[in-house]
């Protein structure tokens, strides 16, 4: 049906790279998001300010700009720091690492809000009960709050993951051979842009469908043992 | 003292250390920047920002006009009306905007009947391609937002409209749509902000919007940090001003709901 002019393998590798990017950024973003939420809900004023600054700035500028800044901006900083440490050479991040950091930063900023809502949604009575048992703040967080946060935050996080999956296409702008760039290369050399971008779109759609299915499974699993209110 | 109570203290110490180091780094970095470059290219960036605003304004306005009927179709109980609308929304929400832009910009150019049509003078321009892709994309997201809002209009209000004897069209115009619009305002504001940021993708097909202009200036000056910082600040101001204006609109539109409080 689709003639890929021998670029099928490249496209498959690109799709694999896209999945890798998405999962890597997801891992970075989840850690950042959880830290951001804890910071924003902290009693410490400095922590709140840092959390607020992080989400406001990252959510206020385009994802593409974040990607470009991390990739092109970091080399200057890294080279300077390396110079202090006695390495007088040009240092830069690979597009892959820069991409994961940039996408992780954006995912983390949005995830901060999701986690914050989820932490606030844990019934206060349970936290008071934990305190009454003599649990400290860390133990309360680890044993009482965190296990429930996953369940409450899951729908929001899954939504963000779908956005992240599509945002991986931005990494093509810094030359990483992910799905979109692989299609771009194929399109340029075969002069058959329509086919290549249609195939790319279909692969992204398929990934979305798989992610959507995974979301439904995970949500069902996370709700096991939770009584559902009858409408 | 056991380790469970020590962890928060250690975490706090580490956090303060890192925050202090970061703040020092940022302040040091800011003192080393070349602010002259930012000022010198400010009107270039300004022109870029103008194009960004233009692209967003047009695509959001046209997208709104497409989204309302699409949402009505999507909310329809008849499958042959709702299914095509759903397919459209699903396709555009399930694929990256960048792929859609490339498909319109590079893809359409090789279809012969497009090249022969009277629309070709427009479709070969990056400007119109970006506008088409943006419009179709934001219309799909907006339609889904509207659909949710239309279905969230309280059943009692629709029953009341029917009880007074309003026709379907009148009810839609006087009750359902105005009410749905108010319900979805916060979500719609979010979508417009996403569009402001998404418009940066126009730079990938040679358009000199704010991001495109920033990249051109950087190619000329080799000063990515300064120029990206300036562009970032402008984007930030754009979204900031927009949120404030939209908050006012939201407040006004929902005044009848909040007046009592």
């Amino acid at each position: 049906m689709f003639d890929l002019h021998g670029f099928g393998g490249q496209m498959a590798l690109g799709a694999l790279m896209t999945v890798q990017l998405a999962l890597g950024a997801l891992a970075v973003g989840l850690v950042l998001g959880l830290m951001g939420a804890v910071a924003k809900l902290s009693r410490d004023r400095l922590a709140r300010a840092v959390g607020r600054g992080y989400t406001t700035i990252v959510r206020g500028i385009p994802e593409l700009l974040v990607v470009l800044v991390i990739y092109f901006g970091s080399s200057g900083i890294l080279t300077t720091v390396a110079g202090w440490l006695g390495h007088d050479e040009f240092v830069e991040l690979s597009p892959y690492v820069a991409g994961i950091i940039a996408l992780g930063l954006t995912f983390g900023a949005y995830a901060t809000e999701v986690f914050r809502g989820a932490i606030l949604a844990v019934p206060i009575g349970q936290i008071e009960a934990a305190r009454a048992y003599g649990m400290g703040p860390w133990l309360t967080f680890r044993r009482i709050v965190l296990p429930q946060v996953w369940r409450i935050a899951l729908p929001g996080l899954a939504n963000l993951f779908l956005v992240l999956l599509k945002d991986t296409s931005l990494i093509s702008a810094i030359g990483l051979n992910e799905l979109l760039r692989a299609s771009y290369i194929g399109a340029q050399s075969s002069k058959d842009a329509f086919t290549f971008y249609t195939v790319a779109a279909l692969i992204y759609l398929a990934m979305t469908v798989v992610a959507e299915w995974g979301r439904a499974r995970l949500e069902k699993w996370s709700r096991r043992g939770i009584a559902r209110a009858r409408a | 003292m056991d380790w469970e109570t020590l962890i928060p203290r250690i975490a706090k110490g580490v956090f303060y250390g890192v925050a202090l180091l970061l703040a020092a780094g940022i302040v040091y970095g800011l003192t080393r920047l070349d602010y002259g470059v930012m000022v010198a290219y400010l009107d270039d960036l300004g022109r870029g920002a103008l194009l960004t605003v233009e692209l967003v304004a047009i695509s959001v306005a046209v997208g709104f006009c497409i989204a309302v009927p699409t949402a009505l179709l999507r909310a329809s109980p008849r499958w042959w009306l709702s299914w095509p609308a759903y397919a459209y929304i699903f396709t555009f929400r399930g694929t990256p905007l960048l792929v859609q832009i490339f498909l319109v910009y590079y893809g359409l150019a090789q279809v012969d009947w497009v090249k022969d049509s009277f629309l070709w003078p427009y479709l070969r321009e990056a400007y119109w391609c970006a506008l088409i892709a943006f419009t179709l994309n934001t219309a799909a997201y907006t339609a889904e937002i509207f659909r949710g809002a239309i279905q969230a209009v309280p059943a009692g209000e629709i029953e009341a409209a029917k009880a007074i004897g309003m026709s379907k069209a009148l009810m839609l115009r006087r009750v359902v749509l105005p009410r749905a619009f108010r319900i979805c305002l916060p979500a719609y504001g979010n979508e417009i902000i996403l569009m402001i940021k998404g418009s940066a993708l126009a730079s990938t097909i040679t358009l000199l919007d704010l991001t495109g202009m920033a990249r051109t200036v950087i190619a000329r000056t080799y000063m990515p940090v300064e120029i990206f910082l300036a562009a970032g600040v402008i984007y930030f101001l754009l979204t900031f001003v927009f949120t404030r204006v939209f908050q006012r609109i939201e407040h006004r539109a929902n005044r009848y709901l909040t007046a009592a409080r």
Side-chain angles (χ1 to χ4, degrees), chain A residues 39 44-47 50 56-65 68-69 72-73 80 84 110 136-139 142-143 165-167 169-170 172-173 180 184 188 191-195 197-198 200-202 204-205 208-209, chain B residues 3-5 7-8 12 15-16 19-20 28 32 90-99 102-103 106-108 110-111 141 193-194 196-198 200-204 211 214-215 224-225 228-229 231-233 235-236 239:
Chain A
D44 192 272
R45 278 181 65 181
L46 180 68
V50 170
T56 319
I57 292 172
V58 174
R59 294 197 301 165
I61 60 176
E63 287 76 9
L64 181 62
L65 205 61
L68 294 176
V69 166
F72 291 112
T80 314
W84 292 342
Y110 287 93
W138 167 251
L139 195 62
R142 191 165 64 87
R143 288 255 181 87
L165 198 59
K166 288 177 282 161
D167 276 350
S169 62
L170 301 182
S172 64
L180 183 59
Y184 179 80
Q188 289 295 20
K191 303 285 172 223
D192 190 8
F194 198 79
T195 307
Y197 293 130
T198 306
L202 288 177
Y204 279 114
L205 263 183
T208 308
V209 171
Chain B
W3 64 277
E4 287 277 11
T5 53
I7 287 178
K12 195 171 170 181
F15 169 73
Y16 266 77
L20 208 73
Y28 173 75
R32 295 272 309 255
F90 180 74
T91 314
F92 277 86
R93 296 207 325 157
T95 55
L97 176 56
L98 198 50
V99 171
F102 281 6
L103 207 48
Y106 297 112
L108 284 186
Q110 71 184 74
V111 184
Y141 280 92
I193 287 184
L194 287 180
I196 295 178
K197 300 198 293 164
L201 299 186
S203 66
T204 57
T211 304
R215 292 169 91 171
V225 179
F228 277 144
L229 184 67
V233 170
Y235 272 115
F236 190 76
T239 50

Side-chain angles (χ1 to χ4, degrees), chain A residues 74-91:
Chain A
S74 65
S75 59
I77 297 165
L78 285 179
T79 307
T80 314
V81 173
W84 292 342
L85 299 176
H87 294 279
D88 286 325
E89 57 210 27
F90 187 72
V91 188

